[in-house]
Amino acid sequence: MERSSRVGIFVVLCAVVISSSVFASGFMGPPKSELEKGQFSFGFDYSYNDMALELGEGRGTGVSNRTVKDWKSDSLTARFGYGLADDIDVSFLLGGVRMRYDDVGERFGGDEEWAYGFGTKVTFCKSDKWTWGGLFQMSWYEAEGTWSGPGWTGDADVDYWHLQIAVGPTYEIADNLSIYGGPFWQCIDGEKKYTEPGGWWEKYDIDAASNCGGFLGMQFDICENTLFSVEYQFTSDDDILGMGLFWLF
């Protein structure tokens, strides 16, 4: 497949994912296609997120804008992959996510919720040791729980989607070890709703505190058709640690 065709298909798949509305992920993996045409994969990935969220356009409250720091979440998902072509693969996810927040006496504890999603990876070009490509994935998070502070408590619903687009190289250090990384761009959008038993309520729009960042990871070929990856994602306000174990067949 020609390089220009791969880039074009990658853009189209990105548009398809953006038009969808229910996703969950965090771990990205190498920014390249990892499956041959018609090949399948199955595995598990875990991610720990420590992020900052911007709450704006406040309604029902005298505070119109604020930043929530140390917003934490853990997600564990099963990932199913399929090779659409030798240089393009897609994946589907199903699992769970848990969110929490604790800062200056203010606390939120969310229940465990379902997580599910979709992603795509494309290889643009490759040589003996280097492979260049890109990936796209979108996360959808929903949490319900108790939000409390000094002298007050109520119920909160937090919903937002997290979109990530990454490009970069993967370098093969040895037959069973590769490193990968590059820049990524993210977008977060959603809403926080808070209500108290007496009828008092407030709403905020949710946005990302930082939109641009980078990631770095390592992938190990544990044995034939078995891959393990660990990576670190960062922006000026966010830290994400992820790992994944996958089998190819």
Side-chain angles (χ1 to χ4, degrees):
M1 185 180 294
E2 296 295 331
R3 179 182 176 184
S4 59
S5 299
R6 297 172 197 153
V7 175
I9 293 175
F10 179 63
V11 172
V12 171
L13 289 174
C14 289
V16 171
V17 178
I18 291 174
S19 67
S20 303
S21 61
V22 283
F23 300 95
S25 57
F27 171 80
M28 295 193 295
K32 65 170 186 174
S33 174
E34 300 183 90
L35 302 175
E36 298 176 357
K37 182 178 180 179
Q39 189 176 26
F40 291 89
S41 68
F42 171 75
F44 300 93
D45 58 63
Y46 165 80
S47 67
Y48 168 77
N49 301 260
D50 188 346
M51 309 177 67
L53 301 176
E54 293 289 342
L55 304 184
E57 301 183 21
R59 287 148 285 174
T61 175
V63 181
S64 59
N65 296 279
R66 54 177 300 205
T67 300
V68 172
K69 298 182 179 180
D70 297 322
W71 181 266
K72 296 178 173 62
S73 66
D74 298 274
S75 64
L76 178 64
T77 58
R79 186 186 295 255
F80 307 86
Y82 177 72
L84 292 179
D86 288 341
D87 298 308
I88 303 172
D89 62 49
V90 295
S91 59
F92 302 87
L93 300 94
L94 178 65
V97 63
R98 183 173 64 92
M99 302 183 203
R100 58 200 181 279
Y101 163 65
D102 191 351
D103 184 39
V104 194
E106 190 173 349
R107 178 176 299 178
F108 171 74
D111 298 329
E112 293 183 0
E113 300 287 347
W114 283 101
Y116 42 101
F118 174 92
T120 183
K121 295 184 176 184
V122 175
T123 294
F124 300 145
C125 61
K126 51 189 173 182
S127 60
D128 185 34
K129 295 290 186 179
W130 292 88
T131 303
W132 289 82
L135 63 85
F136 179 102
Q137 63 183 26
M138 189 172 181
S139 308
W140 179 263
Y141 297 100
E142 178 178 350
E144 297 180 358
T146 300
W147 200 302
S148 61
W152 55 270
T153 185
D155 297 324
D157 294 330
V158 179
D159 303 283
Y160 63 87
W161 51 260
H162 183 193
L163 177 154
Q164 291 173 295
I165 298 176
V167 295
T170 301
Y171 179 71
E172 184 180 336
I173 298 177
D175 290 340
N176 63 344
L177 176 62
S178 300
I179 59 173
Y180 60 89
F184 72 85
W185 176 83
Q186 68 175 3
C187 179
I188 295 175
D189 187 47
E191 186 177 65
K192 172 208 169 184
K193 302 177 182 177
Y194 172 83
T195 58
E196 290 185 1
W200 191 85
W201 63 271
E202 67 176 22
K203 291 183 180 180
Y204 282 99
D205 290 337
I206 298 176
D207 295 291
S210 298
N211 295 108
C212 297
F215 69 111
L216 179 66
M218 302 182 70
Q219 185 175 77
F220 305 87
D221 296 352
I222 299 176
C223 57
E224 185 177 3
N225 295 328
T226 303
L227 305 175
F228 174 75
S229 300
V230 58
E231 70 184 30
Y232 171 60
Q233 306 170 24
F234 61 91
T235 73
S236 59
D237 296 285
D238 311 317
D239 294 281
I240 299 174
L241 177 65
M243 58 189 71
L245 178 64
F246 303 97
W247 295 268
L248 313 181
F249 55 94

